[in-house]
Amino acid sequence: MQTPLSTTPFGRRPMTLGMISRQLAAKAKPEAAIVHKWHVFQHIKEARQVLGATDRALTILHALLSFHPEIALEADSELIVWPSNEQLMARANGMPPTTLRRHLAVLVDCGLIIRRDSPNGKRFARKGQGGQIEQAYGFDLAPMVARAEEYKTLAATVQAEKKAFRVAKERLTILRRDIVKMIEAGLEESVPGNWKRFQQVYQAIAGRIPRTAPRQLLESIGGEMEALWREIRELLETFAKTQNLDGNESHSGCHIQNSNPDLSSESERGSAKRGEAGGTAAADHNLRSLPKRELPLGIVLDACPNMRWLIKGGEIRHWKDLLAAAELARPMLGISPSAWREARDVLGDQQAAITLAAIHQKADQISSAGGYLRSLTDRAKGGKFSVWPMVMALLRGKLDGAKPTPPGGGTARFEPGKPAHASAELRASLARRPK
């Protein structure tokens, strides 16, 4: 075949230095080079983002390769294909003409193919007397032979980058899971340590993870997470070495001391029982005399307005909203996950949420919220506890002009000496309360 003379695009498409450099690269292919066209296409697919190719452009490239009759692309063979736009659209799953032209230009700009336009812009081949092609005008696939090794290297680099990204993401996920579970274990097992600081550091690091992050950022954050992980792990391992545990990992009555000043010990059941309002005898009497119906949500919120401050917008309209607020209040009160889980199992989700709301409302009067909750849970197991006395006591204090203490020292809604507003439902409920 005669070497094609056409090097400039037909029509209004301009000639650029980039086209000239890509044509030079195509001419620099080894004379004896032979490549498998579908292997090269696979490498181009893997490196498409680096090359700047689009998915639609690769669909067209796949169609162009299908017009070449041989599987192997040889440097000294005919590498120009000349399908019409209608044929290309048919093999490109019915792609619209405007889309076809736009993505053909993308293939040319990426240097994956070269235009060999005829004088009138048509694509065709001129054959000689023996049937051999003398001149062809269309798309030259020579760059796929000339740059085959480059595409292979780019594909390997992209695969290595994807693997490194996946490893960094998996490492960060495992570190986050381990840290959360180790903090919960430290709180539940009463391991001495500043667990509140660990939680704050973890939340600060995790809060900097964007929705989509590059590998370098994931590795940097993973390094910070690993440093926190090592600190917590060493603390737990040091504490575990000092304990005399049975072979089945059950506690053998060893003394566990909690040195964290921010978290109160939940083992002080006696002090929690002494902090219950009304005394045991009075509470038992109220328990027997109170009605057997459930407390309305409105009355609970009247008695425990501090729970509204935990929800964005202060809207608690359903019991599930109160339970969500209780989940937020639990770590603030220093109540361990096991104590909260036991309370929910014994009291039920609704009654447990009411109980925690009452504890949160009078948190300044309770030295150990976790111990108090465990004590109430133990009494509920024997049928000696109801949420009614706690809520009614809070309501009486509110109606008497008591000033609730908001978390963090905020301004209360009620002032001493001024009558507090109470809903009609609340006043009706108090009027029905047995003397």
Side-chain angles (χ1 to χ4, degrees):
M1 171 189 168
Q2 181 181 352
T3 303
L5 299 176
S6 176
T7 57
T8 59
F10 173 78
R12 298 181 180 179
R13 292 187 293 269
M15 184 67 180
T16 63
L17 291 177
M19 291 183 182
I20 296 178
S21 63
R22 287 188 287 271
Q23 291 171 7
L24 288 174
K27 290 181 179 180
K29 61 182 182 296
E31 295 182 359
I34 301 177
V35 298
H36 193 296
K37 65 180 181 181
W38 299 122
H39 291 175
V40 178
F41 179 73
Q42 181 63 31
H43 296 156
I44 293 174
K45 276 185 18 178
E46 294 174 358
R48 65 182 181 275
Q49 292 182 347
V50 179
L51 295 171
T54 61
D55 294 339
R56 292 288 187 91
L58 292 183
T59 301
I60 298 172
L61 180 60
H62 187 278
L64 288 173
L65 289 173
S66 68
F67 284 101
H68 192 276
E70 303 295 335
I71 298 296
L73 300 179
E74 301 183 24
D76 57 352
S77 65
E78 173 59 52
L79 296 177
I80 297 178
V81 293
W82 54 92
S84 65
N85 282 354
E86 289 75 13
Q87 291 174 318
L88 274 177
M89 287 187 292
R91 294 199 185 184
N93 304 320
M95 185 178 295
T98 54
T99 305
L100 176 69
R101 289 192 292 270
R102 184 169 66 252
H103 290 286
L104 277 172
V106 171
L107 290 176
V108 174
D109 292 339
C110 294
L112 297 174
I113 59 175
I114 297 176
R115 288 184 182 272
R116 302 292 185 184
D117 290 343
S118 65
N120 61 0
K122 301 295 184 178
R123 302 177 201 134
F124 63 91
R126 183 180 296 112
K127 296 182 180 180
Q129 293 181 353
Q132 296 181 348
I133 298 175
E134 293 182 350
Q135 189 73 44
Y137 298 99
F139 299 106
D140 193 350
L141 304 177
M144 297 191 64
V145 180
R147 301 175 62 187
E149 289 299 322
E150 178 187 350
Y151 296 148
K152 184 177 181 180
T153 302
L154 286 175
T157 303
V158 170
Q159 289 298 323
E161 179 65 22
K162 286 183 177 180
K163 181 179 179 181
F165 177 83
R166 185 170 60 252
V167 170
K169 191 174 182 180
E170 291 174 354
R171 170 173 172 257
L172 182 59
T173 300
I174 293 175
L175 286 171
R176 294 182 64 180
R177 182 187 66 196
D178 287 355
I179 290 173
V180 170
K181 289 185 178 293
M182 287 192 299
I183 290 177
E184 290 182 354
L187 289 171
E188 190 166 350
E189 299 291 339
S190 300
V191 178
N194 194 347
W195 298 106
K196 183 173 293 187
R197 183 184 70 83
F198 289 145
Q199 289 176 329
Q200 293 173 348
V201 173
Y202 168 76
Q203 292 171 358
I205 298 175
R208 292 190 287 106
I209 303 176
R211 194 161 194 158
T212 55
R215 173 184 58 83
Q216 293 80 2
L217 180 58
L218 291 180
E219 290 179 348
S220 175
I221 295 177
E224 297 181 41
M225 282 287 186
E226 184 174 358
L228 179 62
W229 179 89
R230 291 184 183 278
E231 185 178 357
I232 299 175
R233 184 74 180 184
E234 290 176 1
L235 178 62
L236 293 176
E237 289 179 352
T238 302
F239 181 77
K241 291 177 183 179
T242 62
Q243 306 304 304
N244 295 322
L245 301 180
D246 295 335
N248 60 357
E249 298 185 1
S250 63
H251 291 280
S252 59
C254 59
H255 175 66
I256 300 177
Q257 180 182 358
N258 187 352
S259 63
N260 186 354
D262 297 328
L263 299 177
S264 302
S265 173
E266 297 184 16
S267 62
E268 300 176 0
R269 304 291 182 88
S271 62
K273 291 180 179 179
R274 289 193 296 270
E276 297 177 20
T280 305
D284 291 343
H285 173 72
N286 291 336
L287 179 60
R288 289 191 298 269
S289 60
L290 285 171
K292 299 302 181 183
R293 60 186 178 86
E294 293 183 352
L295 275 167
L297 179 59
I299 291 180
V300 174
L301 295 178
D302 280 339
C304 309
N306 289 359
M307 296 298 286
R308 297 182 186 272
W309 299 330
L310 302 177
I311 297 296
K312 185 177 181 180
E315 292 293 335
I316 299 180
R317 299 180 178 180
H318 306 284
W319 288 111
K320 64 179 181 179
D321 298 334
L322 182 65
L323 183 61
E327 292 284 358
L328 296 175
R330 179 195 63 76
M332 296 171 55
L333 296 171
I335 298 175
S336 67
S338 62
W340 175 234
R341 185 167 54 249
E342 183 181 7
R344 293 179 64 178
D345 292 341
V346 175
L347 297 171
D349 289 346
Q350 182 174 319
Q351 300 297 314
I354 297 174
T355 303
L356 197 140
I359 294 175
H360 182 258
Q361 185 65 30
K362 57 178 183 179
D364 57 337
Q365 305 173 21
I366 301 174
S367 60
S368 174
Y372 191 12
L373 180 61
R374 285 192 185 275
S375 174
L376 297 179
T377 303
D378 291 342
R379 292 186 58 198
K381 291 178 181 179
K384 298 180 180 180
F385 171 70
S386 170
V387 295
W388 278 84
M390 298 180 68
V391 174
M392 292 302 116
L394 290 171
L395 289 173
R396 283 196 302 272
K398 178 181 176 181
L399 293 177
D400 291 341
K403 181 180 179 181
T405 304
T411 303
R413 299 182 181 179
F414 306 99
E415 300 180 4
K418 292 186 179 181
H421 172 72
S423 62
E425 183 183 18
L426 169 60
R427 295 185 180 277
S429 176
L430 291 176
R432 291 194 300 268
R433 183 177 178 275
K435 301 296 183 180

